[in-house]
Amino acid sequence: DSQYSPGYYWLGNNTLKVPLVLHKENRQRLVSQILSKHKDQVKENSFILLESGKSTMQYDTDHEPLFKQERYFFWTFGSDIPDCFGIVGLDEQATSILCIPKLPAEYATWMGEIRSKEYYKSIFLVDQVLYVDEMMDYLKSKNASTIYTILGTNTDSGSTFVEPQYPGLRETFNVNNTLLFPEIAECRVIKSPKEVEVIRYCVDASVSAHKHVMRKVKVGLKEYQCESEFLHHVYNEWGCRNVGYTCICAANKNSAVLHYGHAGEPNSATISENGFCLFDMGAEYHSYTADITCSFPATGKFSPEQRVVYQAVLDASVAVMEAMRPGVSWVDMHKLAERCILAALLKAGILVGDLQDLIANKIGSVFFPHGLGHFLGLDTHDVGGYLGDCQPKVHSLRTTRTLKAGMVITSEPGCYFINHLLTQALSNPETAKFFNLTELDKYRNIGGVRIEDDILVTETGCDNLSKNLPRTIDEIEAFMLK
Amino acid sequence: DSQYSPGYYWLGNNTLKVPLVLHKENRQRLVSQILSKHKDQVKENSFILLESGKSTMQYDTDHEPLFKQERYFFWTFGSDIPDCFGIVGLDEQATSILCIPKLPAEYATWMGEIRSKEYYKSIFLVDQVLYVDEMMDYLKSKNASTIYTILGTNTDSGSTFVEPQYPGLRETFNVNNTLLFPEIAECRVIKSPKEVEVIRYCVDASVSAHKHVMRKVKVGLKEYQCESEFLHHVYNEWGCRNVGYTCICAANKNSAVLHYGHAGEPNSATISENGFCLFDMGAEYHSYTADITCSFPATGKFSPEQRVVYQAVLDASVAVMEAMRPGVSWVDMHKLAERCILAALLKAGILVGDLQDLIANKIGSVFFPHGLGHFLGLDTHDVGGYLGDCQPKVHSLRTTRTLKAGMVITSEPGCYFINHLLTQALSNPETAKFFNLTELDKYRNIGGVRIEDDILVTETGCDNLSKNLPRTIDEIEAFMLK
Ligand SMILES: [Mn+2]
Ligand SMILES: [Mn+2]
């Protein structure tokens, strides 16, 4: 009655039964790609070596935060056991060896049954299971010629990946830490059909929970009560213990704070009369995640100003989804969204002047200061945004690549009335001249709108995985009436 | 509409409004204690320097786990801002300076309003707020003679506290890292009345949620659905965003796994017919936590065997609470609980022989392999268990101290049928002779029972903060019938 059975991860009831052959396919994809692109360079008896996340304790206490597996390791092995190593042979079979820690006898008293190597082999569909302290001998017995490890910089965080640490590894073997990183990151960019099914499940859970929250919302509730409803819904009904990122439950002016909800701004405000809600929340299952934002008035009825801003963002969202297909540049999609939003603000009279001048003077980033979207997968801001054909970073974009079938990416145009950005723009005569202050004043306290969907790029266009959300103004007003 | 107002932390509605003068009193207690015990050693212009927790990102990604403040810092300043330092003057006024990070302008776009020094001064009731990069100049301007920092080992984790890191600190000032640790840990052991009020609130929230879960439990539910109910109840109704530790929702045989519920055993079993539940969950508020375990049959009706084991543990719990008062040794309390449990198992015929022989042969730790309880406060396993009059570590006890008024400690006797411990005991003729195998067999699959309460030691005895739980067999059966 565990979360694992041979070859599957499943939490029972109506939750998704994930075939762990997903990860065997990932290993095979990775090895095929390396062998086909680098066959001259890769010698026989070469191995990929990955290290799992380590169990940690908070500060100097014995509090263990709930373990989250390192994502490259998880992608490759599907295992959420800490303190492991994993080996993949660069051979046709992509021979896989999971190295698990040897647990002390008291583990059985405190943590649970100590399972056998055979048990883990059957669950995770690897060719062999060893104890970590047998790993070096295995590699020696195979006359390992080169060990490939990950070294590289995450382009969202700027952090560098920590290479596997094992005593004597670098002294004993020839270690190459340059080849693997771009290859495994690129493999993670293109989702297999089985990966898409898991992401689709995370999205379905999140869509269901967002709708549940929209039904519960009312003036006078605390923002955190909406977070609590979301978390309970995805866990209780969908088995999602974690969310991919801290819930952003921003109401009123807080909806203009892009990453509201962290410990310093803990969703603690009361939803006010005419409060506008921007709820950005995504459930995680089998370590994959959704990332969805719904924006709506707490009362279920849009004010004229809310209607203008919401429609501006929705126009952008629709235009982007109509244009998304393989071969399209994500930078162009961002510019398209920005143009839609600026055009709508012009039409509403908040901005004045010529659309091209607004764009040239970067008025777009006053209202839409973040990128249009990012890859989505095991990480909320998934890896690979600056590989291959990418352009240099522009507009805070987390990727500047050309779309390919199999990518899963968020589209999240937004329009916000952010005090300090407006003040900045208004204090500079070059940009101030584009604003109609009388009109702007009507909007300065409404906060912001973001419409974020999770989208699979298909061979011929795209599939909006979160399409079951009420998105038009009419749909939202009708849905919230119920 | 933030969680803070001048001098208070509050999440609105019926949540507890915590006066932040609590932490000012903590600072004064700490300084008084140091000045009174070490007045010959402490020179004029001496300062305590603490560093807060740092904001972190997971692995190489840009995912930021929800920030949890370092607890010594929180105890002293009550602030959950990361990347700070805090100074307390070793003078009569316990002059306090909170040093906050200077935030970049884009913080306002992504994270929220950048508040002024005056704002934080008014919230946290400190004498002065500086930016971190002004800290060294402040200490120089005061001709700081000695800077006292924390260095010491946490006796639950064995981890060593990381001293404040700041460029040039050790080169510029005389740093003493030995005096502070035992003093501040001892201050944390004795809870002030204001601290007790916060803990009492965490306990009230947890009691309410445990009762809610007991009403929801039924055969066929997943364990994690019970966790989800608990989490939602404490957050939605009591404002508790965090729990002090990962929820242990163990049903069936899992109730014999002491720290079930972690990522490897994620509360994923189905509650079975005749399943016995051991739910160990505690809500956190203003960084203080509760730690409560309820044990009950999923059906609400005890089987004869469940009745025997439950009553054994309840006898122990009652005996301990009747004996707890200042001056009593916690080691003696543990022995008392163990004796009660062994006596009940003897009476039930599971064990045979003489009670003194059972104790001498350590049969107690086969059924009750953990300590009776631990201090409770900002940490679940709170600090200070091995200070002062403690005895050397025995019986996995997290403290061996003599009780004093103001201590808050858990009492959590337990009795478990743990396969590998029983197998071990039965394979040794010296211990095997005490077991009646026919009787034991009836119990081997029922799992375990733990009854955990949170108890304040008073001047004359003790106050069970969690006394509103149904605890006797009759109370539980009546409560679950409703
Ligand atoms: Mn996003
Ligand atoms: Mn406990």
Side-chain angles (χ1 to χ4, degrees):
Chain A
D1 210 18
S2 127
Q3 72 274 36
Y4 292 118
S5 58
Y8 288 92
Y9 172 86
W10 187 43
L11 286 179
N13 297 343
N14 301 315
T15 65
L16 183 69
K17 191 161 180 178
V18 181
L20 298 175
V21 72
L22 182 163
H23 302 281
K24 189 181 172 114
E25 289 177 12
N26 284 350
R27 295 190 291 271
Q28 284 165 335
R29 281 202 283 152
L30 173 62
V31 169
S32 301
Q33 181 176 307
I34 292 176
L35 290 181
S36 72
K37 286 173 66 179
H38 304 279
K39 66 163 170 274
D40 297 340
Q41 186 184 338
V42 173
K43 295 186 196 139
E44 261 190 83
N45 304 328
S46 288
F47 296 90
I48 290 164
L49 178 64
L50 299 175
E51 184 172 8
S52 79
K54 293 173 191 151
S55 35
T56 56
M57 290 191 287
Q58 193 132 35
Y59 302 116
D60 68 330
T61 74
D62 69 343
H63 173 73
E64 295 187 52
L66 193 63
F67 178 69
K68 277 199 163 197
Q69 186 59 283
E70 192 287 311
R71 291 329 197 201
Y72 285 104
F73 186 88
F74 190 86
W75 181 87
T76 311
F77 292 97
S79 156
D80 58 7
I81 310 173
D83 308 315
C84 291
F85 287 83
I87 298 169
V88 183
L90 282 167
D91 50 55
E92 294 294 315
Q93 292 73 40
T95 309
S96 55
I97 296 96
L98 180 63
C99 305
I100 60 173
K102 198 178 248 162
L103 299 168
E106 70 258 30
Y107 184 95
T109 303
W110 290 88
M111 305 296 272
E113 190 185 338
I114 297 178
R115 272 91 170 197
S116 66
K117 290 176 177 177
E118 284 309 307
Y119 170 85
Y120 288 115
K121 182 169 182 290
S122 74
I123 299 294
F124 295 116
L125 308 175
V126 290
D127 295 298
Q128 201 174 340
V129 174
L130 298 173
Y131 290 120
V132 167
D133 60 14
E134 298 168 327
M135 177 176 78
M136 290 291 280
D137 284 344
Y138 174 85
L139 291 170
K140 283 182 210 160
S141 76
K142 296 292 175 186
N143 295 312
S145 55
T146 308
I147 307 287
Y148 290 95
T149 62
I150 293 183
L151 185 69
T153 300
N154 182 299
T155 47
D156 289 304
S157 64
S159 303
T160 297
F161 194 89
V162 177
E163 285 185 273
Q165 305 295 322
Y166 197 86
L169 183 72
R170 279 164 190 74
E171 292 74 11
T172 313
F173 301 107
N174 175 33
V175 174
N176 174 314
N177 62 19
T178 57
L179 181 140
L180 180 59
F181 178 68
E183 300 302 338
I184 192 168
E186 182 62 29
C187 281
R188 283 181 57 185
V189 169
I190 305 299
K191 272 67 181 178
S192 72
K194 289 194 180 66
E195 286 186 288
V196 170
E197 281 320 293
V198 183
I199 295 172
R200 196 183 288 277
Y201 180 79
C202 298
V203 171
D204 287 347
S206 306
V207 164
S208 171
H210 271 286
K211 288 164 83 168
H212 171 77
V213 171
M214 287 173 79
R215 286 218 178 80
K216 287 274 179 182
V217 158
K218 59 181 182 201
V219 172
L221 271 190
K222 286 283 176 182
E223 295 164 332
Y224 65 76
Q225 294 181 298
C226 301
E227 176 183 4
S228 189
E229 290 288 351
F230 183 91
L231 295 173
H232 183 46
H233 188 90
V234 299
Y235 196 14
N236 190 50
E237 304 199 12
W238 298 76
C240 301
R241 191 180 206 180
N242 295 312
V243 281
Y245 52 98
T246 303
C247 291
I248 300 171
C249 289
N252 322 331
K253 284 180 70 173
N254 301 328
S255 55
V257 177
L258 305 182
H259 283 179
Y260 188 77
H262 56 92
E265 299 284 354
N267 297 327
S268 60
T270 306
I271 299 174
S272 66
E273 204 68 51
N274 295 319
F276 196 80
C277 298
L278 184 159
F279 288 176
D280 184 347
M281 309 188 274
E284 188 179 297
Y285 189 82
H286 191 60
S287 295
Y288 287 85
T289 190
D291 180 2
I292 291 174
T293 309
C294 293
S295 299
F296 51 88
T299 56
K301 195 80 196 137
F302 284 79
S303 74
E305 290 79 16
Q306 289 167 351
R307 190 171 278 267
V308 164
V309 182
Y310 189 88
Q311 192 62 48
V313 179
L314 187 63
D315 289 350
S317 168
V318 169
V320 164
M321 279 191 239
E322 280 174 359
M324 279 179 69
R325 59 176 48 80
V328 162
S329 151
W330 194 242
V331 177
D332 291 343
M333 293 297 95
H334 180 86
K335 289 179 180 163
L336 171 61
E338 190 182 78
R339 207 156 48 234
C340 290
I341 292 162
L342 288 174
L345 297 180
L346 265 178
K347 194 174 150 214
I350 300 167
L351 294 176
V352 290
D354 175 74
L355 183 57
Q356 291 314 317
D357 286 349
L358 289 170
I359 293 168
N361 282 276
K362 300 193 168 143
I363 305 300
S365 61
V366 176
F367 293 98
F368 178 29
H370 59 77
L372 174 63
H374 50 83
F375 292 141
L376 180 72
L378 290 168
D379 290 325
T380 305
H381 298 149
D382 213 25
V383 297
Y386 284 86
L387 291 174
D389 71 340
C390 71
Q391 305 171 28
K393 193 155 190 163
V394 281
H395 293 297
S396 326
L397 277 169
R398 296 186 191 274
T399 179
T400 57
R401 292 183 62 169
T402 300
L403 297 183
K404 283 189 201 177
M407 287 176 168
V408 175
I409 193 163
T410 67
S411 164
E412 48 179 308
C415 180
Y416 315 86
F417 293 80
I418 300 172
N419 254 325
H420 82 107
L421 294 183
L422 288 169
T423 307
Q424 213 168 44
L426 293 173
S427 67
N428 176 355
E430 292 297 302
T431 46
K433 63 184 180 199
F434 296 112
F435 291 82
N436 175 337
L437 290 182
T438 318
E439 279 305 307
L440 180 63
D441 263 4
K442 298 182 192 162
Y443 292 83
R444 281 199 77 156
N445 289 317
I446 72 170
V449 170
R450 178 159 68 247
I451 300 176
E452 180 173 25
D453 288 290
D454 298 340
I455 299 171
L456 170 68
V457 182
T458 61
E459 297 292 340
T460 55
C462 68
D463 181 7
N464 178 7
L465 304 177
S466 44
K467 59 177 160 281
N468 290 328
L469 284 165
R471 283 300 197 195
T472 68
I473 290 174
D474 286 350
E475 284 168 0
I476 291 170
E477 291 193 338
F479 181 82
M480 292 182 72
L481 255 185
K482 278 186 227 167
Chain B
D1 211 20
S2 127
Q3 73 275 34
Y4 292 119
S5 58
Y8 288 92
Y9 171 87
W10 186 43
L11 287 179
N13 297 344
N14 301 315
T15 65
L16 183 69
K17 192 162 182 178
V18 181
L20 298 175
V21 73
L22 182 163
H23 302 281
K24 188 181 173 114
E25 289 179 10
N26 284 348
R27 294 190 291 271
Q28 284 166 333
R29 280 202 283 152
L30 174 61
V31 169
S32 301
Q33 181 176 308
I34 291 175
L35 291 181
S36 73
K37 286 172 67 178
H38 305 278
K39 66 164 171 274
D40 297 340
Q41 187 184 338
V42 174
K43 293 186 198 139
E44 261 191 81
N45 304 327
S46 289
F47 295 90
I48 290 165
L49 178 64
L50 299 175
E51 184 172 9
S52 79
K54 293 173 190 151
S55 34
T56 56
M57 291 192 286
Q58 193 133 36
Y59 302 115
D60 69 330
T61 75
D62 68 343
H63 173 73
E64 296 187 50
L66 193 64
F67 179 68
K68 277 199 162 197
Q69 187 59 283
E70 193 286 312
R71 292 325 198 204
Y72 285 105
F73 186 88
F74 191 86
W75 182 87
T76 311
F77 291 97
S79 156
D80 57 7
I81 309 172
D83 308 315
C84 292
F85 287 83
I87 298 169
V88 183
L90 282 167
D91 50 54
E92 293 294 315
Q93 292 74 40
T95 309
S96 54
I97 297 97
L98 180 62
C99 305
I100 59 173
K102 199 179 247 161
L103 299 168
E106 69 257 31
Y107 184 95
T109 304
W110 290 88
M111 305 296 272
E113 190 185 339
I114 298 178
R115 271 93 171 196
S116 66
K117 290 176 177 176
E118 284 308 307
Y119 170 85
Y120 288 115
K121 182 170 181 288
S122 74
I123 299 295
F124 295 116
L125 309 176
V126 289
D127 295 298
Q128 199 173 344
V129 174
L130 298 173
Y131 291 121
V132 168
D133 60 13
E134 299 168 327
M135 178 176 78
M136 290 291 279
D137 283 345
Y138 174 85
L139 291 170
K140 282 181 210 160
S141 76
K142 295 293 176 187
N143 295 312
S145 55
T146 308
I147 306 287
Y148 290 95
T149 63
I150 293 183
L151 185 70
T153 299
N154 182 300
T155 46
D156 289 303
S157 65
S159 304
T160 297
F161 194 90
V162 178
E163 283 184 274
Q165 305 295 320
Y166 197 86
L169 183 73
R170 280 165 190 73
E171 293 73 11
T172 314
F173 300 107
N174 175 33
V175 174
N176 174 315
N177 62 20
T178 56
L179 181 140
L180 180 58
F181 179 68
E183 299 303 338
I184 192 169
E186 182 62 30
C187 280
R188 284 181 59 185
V189 169
I190 304 300
K191 272 67 182 178
S192 72
K194 289 194 180 67
E195 288 186 287
V196 170
E197 281 320 294
V198 183
I199 296 172
R200 195 185 289 277
Y201 179 79
C202 299
V203 171
D204 287 347
S206 306
V207 164
S208 171
H210 270 287
K211 287 163 83 168
H212 171 76
V213 170
M214 286 173 81
R215 286 217 178 81
K216 287 272 179 184
V217 159
K218 59 182 181 200
V219 173
L221 270 192
K222 286 281 177 183
E223 295 164 333
Y224 66 76
Q225 294 180 298
C226 300
E227 177 182 3
S228 189
E229 290 289 351
F230 184 91
L231 295 173
H232 184 45
H233 189 91
V234 299
Y235 197 12
N236 191 50
E237 304 200 11
W238 296 77
C240 301
R241 191 180 206 180
N242 294 313
V243 281
Y245 52 97
T246 303
C247 291
I248 300 171
C249 288
N252 321 330
K253 283 179 71 172
N254 301 327
S255 55
V257 178
L258 305 182
H259 282 180
Y260 188 76
H262 54 93
E265 300 284 355
N267 297 328
S268 60
T270 306
I271 299 174
S272 67
E273 204 67 50
N274 294 320
F276 196 80
C277 298
L278 184 160
F279 289 175
D280 185 347
M281 309 188 274
E284 189 178 296
Y285 190 83
H286 191 59
S287 296
Y288 288 84
T289 190
D291 180 2
I292 291 173
T293 308
C294 293
S295 299
F296 51 88
T299 56
K301 195 80 196 138
F302 285 79
S303 74
E305 291 78 16
Q306 289 167 351
R307 192 173 277 268
V308 165
V309 182
Y310 189 88
Q311 193 61 48
V313 178
L314 186 63
D315 289 349
S317 168
V318 169
V320 164
M321 279 191 239
E322 280 175 359
M324 279 177 70
R325 58 175 49 80
V328 162
S329 151
W330 194 243
V331 178
D332 291 343
M333 293 297 95
H334 181 87
K335 289 180 180 163
L336 170 62
E338 191 182 77
R339 207 156 49 233
C340 289
I341 291 163
L342 288 174
L345 297 179
L346 265 178
K347 194 174 149 211
I350 301 166
L351 295 175
V352 289
D354 175 73
L355 183 57
Q356 290 314 318
D357 286 348
L358 290 170
I359 293 167
N361 283 277
K362 301 192 167 140
I363 305 301
S365 61
V366 175
F367 295 97
F368 178 30
H370 60 77
L372 174 63
H374 49 83
F375 291 142
L376 180 72
L378 291 167
D379 290 324
T380 306
H381 298 149
D382 213 25
V383 296
Y386 284 86
L387 291 173
D389 70 341
C390 71
Q391 305 172 27
K393 193 154 190 163
V394 282
H395 294 297
S396 329
L397 277 169
R398 296 185 191 274
T399 179
T400 56
R401 293 182 62 170
T402 300
L403 296 182
K404 282 189 202 177
M407 287 176 170
V408 175
I409 193 162
T410 68
S411 164
E412 47 180 309
C415 181
Y416 315 86
F417 293 81
I418 299 171
N419 253 325
H420 84 106
L421 294 183
L422 288 169
T423 307
Q424 213 171 45
L426 293 173
S427 67
N428 176 354
E430 291 297 300
T431 46
K433 66 184 179 199
F434 295 112
F435 291 82
N436 174 338
L437 290 182
T438 318
E439 278 305 306
L440 180 64
D441 262 4
K442 299 183 191 162
Y443 292 83
R444 280 200 78 155
N445 290 318
I446 71 169
V449 170
R450 178 160 68 248
I451 299 175
E452 180 174 25
D453 288 289
D454 299 340
I455 298 171
L456 170 68
V457 182
T458 61
E459 296 292 339
T460 55
C462 68
D463 180 7
N464 177 7
L465 304 176
S466 44
K467 58 177 159 282
N468 290 328
L469 284 165
R471 283 299 197 196
T472 69
I473 291 173
D474 287 349
E475 283 167 1
I476 291 171
E477 292 193 336
F479 181 81
M480 293 183 71
L481 256 185
K482 279 189 227 168

